[in-house]
Amino acid sequence: MNHDYSHCLDYSPDCPKECFRGKLIRDLRNNNTINLIGVPIAWAHLKGTEECKKREENNESN
């Protein structure tokens, strides 16, 4: 894993599979995170922003 992206603090299992930020979280979980101890990882609350695919789904259903 080699990227400079913020990971979403608002991620939950019901996030859309195509969400890029969700993919980052799943990538962290699927890899041996013990190797990341001491590595800085950026986190951000992205719910309600244009980055959030949940927001798009909610707008489509209204």
Side-chain angles (χ1 to χ4, degrees):
M1 177 174 28
N2 183 13
H3 53 68
D4 286 329
Y5 293 109
S6 292
H7 293 72
C8 186
L9 279 168
D10 302 304
Y11 174 80
S12 64
D14 64 328
C15 287
K17 298 296 180 202
E18 69 275 3
C19 177
F20 175 70
R21 305 298 175 154
K23 289 178 184 177
L24 293 178
I25 300 294
R26 290 188 294 276
D27 188 36
L28 273 179
R29 290 181 177 172
N30 291 335
N31 287 297
N32 186 358
T33 55
I34 196 77
N35 294 331
L36 297 175
I37 293 174
V39 174
I41 298 175
W43 295 88
H45 285 287
L46 298 170
K47 185 176 180 181
T49 69
E50 27 182 82
E51 289 287 331
C52 184
K53 297 294 182 190
K54 278 187 184 179
R55 183 176 138 231
E56 290 176 12
E57 284 184 349
N58 289 338
N59 287 340
E60 290 174 4
S61 64
N62 293 331

